[in-house]
Amino acid sequence: MVSRTSIDRFFSFFPGTLYPIGGTTSARSLDGSSPRIALLRPFVYFGHTHNQIYVNHNGHLTFNAPWYSYIPQRFPMYGSRDIIAPFWTDIDIRRNGQINYTQYTNGTVLQQATRDINTYFPELNFTATLVFVATWYQVPYFPYSGTQTTFQAVLISDGRYSFVLMNYGIIATPTHRVEAGYDTINSTHHLSIPGTYLAQLLNRTAYLSNVNVPGRFAFRVDNGSRGCIFNGKWSDRQTDRQILFCLTSFLVATLGKKCHECCQTN
């Protein structure tokens, strides 16, 4: 079990990016999963209403059954499952690291989620009624127990609109391929954060964003995904791959502008 002091110290390095860490801790195993988790409110994912979820150890969430795959496949998979993968890679928590999950239907976390979504999607007048948080906290890659990587998937819903936040803390240099993004049954909707499959951007993930918050990506997932716009728009359609990640230092160096001057939410 990771101590509260350790978690508090971690938050001092990444204020405002990660949602609270806590709740149920997944059992230690290799390539394992949580038991079936009954969602306290339905979650609509690209037209499918889900009432349960599984937190899989290798960095992904599934809805209909646990999934133990530790070798990432590139999205789109054209497969038979809905999947949300903030950091799909080969993870081993048998000795250290932990995976937590919890959900909220009232309180300050719902208020935080409501503020975040209205900031990123201001046209919706959104009020969260469900927040589900899964955290992979200081988890090691297989078989290197000394590495520590922290990331989250946060599912937010009001019963009509649904969103996923992917939050990143400290990311150790990957020892395996990684896929980050989401996919659906038959890949009718899918998105892969560019560069992650070949680990081209992973050492900078904690500084990248599509919503001007370093280390955070926000996606609308009830019927589409929109975010930061730059010379085009954020899209999950395979034909539109103009995706900008707001890496402020990169934009300052190459464009002479700060991220908020280049991007707008739509």
Side-chain angles (χ1 to χ4, degrees):
M1 178 70 67
V2 178
S3 70
R4 185 74 250 171
T5 300
S6 175
I7 291 175
D8 290 343
R9 186 180 301 116
F10 185 90
F11 268 101
S12 70
F13 287 98
F14 291 90
T17 301
L18 295 178
Y19 273 49
I21 299 172
T24 302
T25 300
S26 199
R28 294 197 180 280
S29 65
L30 180 64
D31 304 329
S33 177
S34 71
R36 173 187 174 275
I37 304 165
L39 293 172
L40 298 178
R41 300 281 190 275
F43 186 79
V44 178
Y45 187 66
F46 294 108
H48 295 131
T49 300
H50 294 287
N51 295 289
Q52 64 183 30
I53 199 166
Y54 295 85
V55 178
N56 305 308
H57 289 186
N58 289 310
H60 43 72
L61 307 175
T62 48
F63 293 98
N64 293 332
W67 202 37
Y68 308 110
S69 176
Y70 60 90
I71 300 175
Q73 301 175 46
R74 196 166 193 170
F75 299 149
M77 295 192 298
Y78 301 103
S80 59
R81 62 178 48 83
D82 290 334
I83 180 172
I84 297 168
F87 203 85
W88 179 7
T89 193
D90 196 356
I91 290 170
D92 183 357
I93 62 166
R94 289 176 295 176
R95 294 176 57 186
N96 56 295
Q98 69 182 40
I99 299 170
N100 296 320
Y101 51 90
T102 190
Q103 52 188 320
Y104 305 87
T105 56
N106 56 61
T108 58
V109 173
L110 247 68
Q111 295 170 12
Q112 177 184 355
T114 296
R115 289 193 300 269
D116 286 341
I117 297 306
N118 282 316
T119 298
Y120 310 146
F121 303 87
E123 74 279 9
L124 297 180
N125 192 26
F126 179 82
T127 301
T129 58
L130 171 73
V131 176
F132 179 89
V133 182
T135 305
W136 290 256
Y137 179 72
Q138 295 187 345
V139 295
Y141 306 130
F142 176 86
Y144 305 100
S145 60
T147 59
Q148 295 183 348
T149 289
T150 297
F151 57 93
Q152 287 182 329
V154 182
L155 279 58
I156 303 171
S157 176
D158 69 351
R160 177 185 179 189
Y161 300 119
S162 302
F163 303 88
V164 172
L165 304 184
M166 296 183 185
N167 296 329
Y168 298 92
I170 296 173
I171 304 296
T173 300
T175 56
H176 309 279
R177 282 189 171 179
V178 177
E179 177 64 298
Y182 59 77
D183 201 7
T184 58
I185 296 171
N186 297 322
S187 296
T188 53
H189 293 272
H190 58 85
L191 184 140
S192 178
I193 296 177
T196 54
Y197 186 70
L198 299 177
Q200 294 169 343
L201 298 176
L202 291 177
N203 62 336
R204 296 187 295 174
T205 302
Y207 306 99
L208 296 168
S209 179
N210 69 327
V211 289
N212 269 340
V213 179
R216 173 173 293 170
F217 295 86
F219 308 106
R220 180 178 167 186
V221 297
D222 53 279
N223 63 8
S225 181
R226 293 184 293 175
C228 184
I229 290 179
F230 180 73
N231 287 346
K233 64 181 179 180
W234 185 283
S235 174
D236 67 350
R237 293 177 298 178
Q238 191 173 8
T239 56
D240 186 356
R241 296 190 176 276
Q242 290 185 313
I243 299 175
L244 172 74
F245 299 105
C246 293
L247 179 58
T248 301
S249 60
F250 173 79
L251 291 175
V252 170
T254 59
L255 302 177
K257 296 182 179 181
K258 295 182 179 179
C259 189
H260 72 270
E261 296 173 330
C262 299
C263 304
Q264 57 182 333
T265 302
N266 189 25

